[in-house]
Amino acid sequence: MATEALIERILAAGDGPSSSAIDALHELLDDATIEASAMPKSVAEAARLVGLSTPTLRYYEQEGLVRPSRNTSGYREYSALDLRRLVFLTRMRLSGMTMTDLKRYILLVEQGPHTIPERRRIMLDQQDRIKRQIRELSLALEITEYKIRVYDGHPED
């Protein structure tokens, strides 16, 4: 499936990740599914597709997280591989991964497969942070729901 369609499926997921969105995400992260014939996207098209601003895309480029090629007119062109990396970056930033950790991770990716153990460690650490966030948000949701139940019984509060 085309990168653009996969991204649309992921971002269209409603309240929670559906099995369809998760399948699309897995396919997006599999470099073997990248379509070689896909037309590159402009900065504006790439930003719209992944839900970022164009200044954020430029910042990610400045920080070395993504390296889009340039066409003969000098404009940035985001390939399917670039778009897939942007999806990864946006999900990691959303989950609270620091720019320092992201830069380290991308540097390791670009150094090749011998860095997989260190990349795995970074992802395990991030997994721990995400699980903690989920626990904290679950408690915040429980408190919110409790207060709503209380207010339903006592609207004057």
Side-chain angles (χ1 to χ4, degrees):
M1 177 175 284
T3 296
E4 187 170 347
L6 290 169
I7 292 170
E8 296 284 352
R9 271 179 48 200
I10 291 166
L11 297 180
D15 289 340
S18 65
S19 61
S20 173
I22 291 170
D23 289 344
L25 182 60
H26 289 174
E27 192 172 335
L28 252 181
L29 295 174
D30 180 359
D31 290 347
T33 66
I34 294 177
E35 62 283 358
S37 63
M39 293 296 298
K41 304 290 182 212
S42 69
V43 172
E45 291 169 325
R48 180 201 56 77
L49 189 59
V50 298
L52 294 173
S53 67
T54 54
T56 299
L57 288 186
R58 289 186 180 107
Y59 173 70
Y60 283 179
E61 181 182 356
Q62 177 186 351
E63 294 298 312
L65 296 174
V66 65
R67 292 180 176 83
S69 61
R70 295 194 179 250
N71 65 20
T72 55
S73 301
Y75 294 108
R76 292 170 180 83
E77 292 187 323
Y78 288 83
S79 68
L81 184 60
D82 294 326
L83 293 172
R84 288 166 185 241
R85 179 171 285 180
L86 287 170
V87 168
F88 170 78
L89 294 170
T90 58
R91 297 302 94 187
M92 292 299 99
R93 288 295 293 151
L94 181 67
S95 72
M97 184 178 264
T98 66
M99 286 299 289
T100 300
D101 285 345
L102 268 176
K103 288 192 273 189
R104 177 75 183 138
Y105 182 86
I106 295 301
L107 180 67
L108 292 168
V109 167
E110 292 173 349
Q111 290 175 3
H114 70 279
T115 65
I116 287 174
E118 190 172 350
R119 286 187 264 161
R120 184 175 188 281
R121 171 54 35 213
I122 292 170
M123 287 293 104
L124 287 169
D125 290 345
Q126 185 62 16
Q127 180 184 46
D128 289 344
R129 284 189 293 270
I130 292 169
K131 286 180 177 181
R132 180 178 176 87
Q133 278 182 307
I134 290 170
R135 287 191 305 271
E136 290 171 354
L137 286 172
S138 293
L139 289 172
L141 179 59
E142 184 59 40
I143 290 169
T144 303
E145 290 171 345
Y146 170 77
K147 283 297 195 181
I148 290 169
R149 285 192 307 274
V150 167
Y151 296 145
D152 284 345
H154 304 3
E156 63 279 332
D157 288 344

